[in-house]
Amino acid sequence: MITAFLFIFVFMKHLIAPSILAADFANLQRDIEMINQSEADWFHLDVMDGTFVPNISFGMPVISAINKHAKKTLDVHLMIVNPDKFIKTFKKNGADILTVHYEACPHLHRTIQAIKTEGMQAGVSLNPHTPIAVLEDVIRDIDVVLIMSVNPGFGGQSFIENTYKKVIQLKDMIEKSGSKALIEIDGGVNLETGAKLLAAGADVLVAGSFVFKSKNPINTIKELKDL
Ligand code: DX5
Ligand code: ZN
């Protein structure tokens, strides 16, 4: 019994979170059904406000529409200033995990608690220039750390190699602190970068273009899952 438990614990499979940003918005329901049927674990939803990042994506009406059809966890990545203002609304529209940017939250501890009070899992994202060390005093309060491996704002950018080092540092911080946070990576993920990220200690791989621009997205998700 104990051996079986340890086996499951040690060999917990990594998770795959396709990013809807790269989906065909004119055929969104078709793409949502594809993810429902695939081996993907989460829907990754990128919310951009044109202020925190130099791009605007989608907001509440689209998230609520996705929520009506999605049969998996909604992982909402907020690239917006003042995320505190909208925490309750994101919960109402179906978010299961709500991730805010460290760089957008002057009172990060309060923001994390507010997300958890609403019954969601709390994620914190770090831009490529932000060191892991800034999470030292909140790491035990966080469910997910989302390391940006590109500068946030756009899909289809190339992977920043310094990310591997950050994953190793974060894994070490998580283990030493007794935190249960998952390590999620976002930007430029493909089979090659994905394999190296998993070896460095990543738990969740976000993939946008690599999935949706491929000939057979269901199969591409399976290939990422089988890494
Ligand atoms: C970028 C977004 C990502 C994006 C990833 O700001 O946070 O989730 O969709 O896209 P790819 O996988 O194409 O780099
Ligand atoms: Zn994202």
Side-chain angles (χ1 to χ4, degrees):
M1 180 69 181
I2 290 173
T3 322
F5 174 76
L6 280 177
F7 183 83
I8 291 165
F9 182 74
V10 173
F11 292 97
M12 197 197 91
K13 193 90 183 125
H14 61 272
L15 307 179
I16 303 300
S19 172
I20 294 299
L21 192 63
D24 178 355
F25 285 10
N27 286 290
L28 201 44
Q29 193 175 346
R30 180 200 67 191
D31 286 356
I32 292 166
E33 290 305 341
M34 180 279 289
I35 294 177
N36 282 340
Q37 274 153 40
S38 76
E39 289 183 39
D41 300 277
W42 298 352
F43 283 80
H44 184 81
L45 307 182
D46 291 301
V47 179
M48 304 178 184
D49 66 355
T51 299
F52 181 68
V53 288
N55 196 9
I56 295 175
S57 57
F58 51 78
M60 304 305 174
V62 174
I63 293 177
S64 139
I66 292 172
N67 188 38
K68 287 201 185 97
H69 300 282
K71 297 200 174 81
K72 298 177 179 181
T73 298
L74 295 195
D75 171 36
V76 179
H77 174 195
L78 300 184
M79 285 158 275
I80 64 174
V81 295
N82 275 325
D84 302 64
K85 260 170 55 183
F86 300 105
I87 290 172
K88 279 181 197 294
T89 322
F90 279 110
K91 170 67 185 177
K92 222 172 64 199
N93 285 284
D96 299 299
I97 304 167
L98 197 63
T99 295
V100 295
H101 264 263
Y102 165 83
E103 300 84 3
C105 296
H107 305 287
L108 183 62
H109 183 271
R110 179 187 291 152
T111 306
I112 292 166
Q113 301 311 322
I115 293 171
K116 298 210 289 199
T117 301
E118 287 303 317
M120 293 177 285
Q121 293 192 50
V124 175
S125 185
L126 299 182
N127 276 337
H129 73 277
T130 305
I132 295 298
V134 300
L135 294 178
E136 191 89 52
D137 290 313
V138 286
I139 192 69
R140 286 174 59 91
D141 301 306
I142 305 175
D143 299 296
V144 177
V145 177
L146 179 64
I147 300 183
M148 291 309 301
S149 39
V150 297
N151 283 293
F154 303 92
Q157 304 180 80
S158 46
F159 184 87
I160 297 171
E161 297 282 321
N162 189 53
T163 311
Y164 300 122
K165 181 197 84 184
K166 291 175 84 170
V167 175
I168 291 167
Q169 288 173 346
L170 177 58
K171 186 84 180 167
D172 186 56
M173 182 192 283
I174 287 172
E175 281 173 3
K176 287 191 175 133
S177 67
S179 160
K180 295 194 170 52
L182 294 178
I183 303 177
E184 182 178 12
I185 314 297
D186 189 4
V189 170
N190 54 36
L191 290 177
E192 192 192 330
T193 55
K196 289 193 202 161
L197 288 165
L198 295 175
D203 303 297
V204 188
L205 301 176
V206 175
S209 322
F210 187 64
V211 166
F212 286 99
K213 307 283 177 250
S214 71
K215 281 216 173 76
N216 184 341
I218 289 209
N219 196 46
T220 304
I221 291 169
K222 183 177 170 30
E223 286 178 331
L224 287 166
K225 189 71 184 175
D226 286 346
L227 280 174

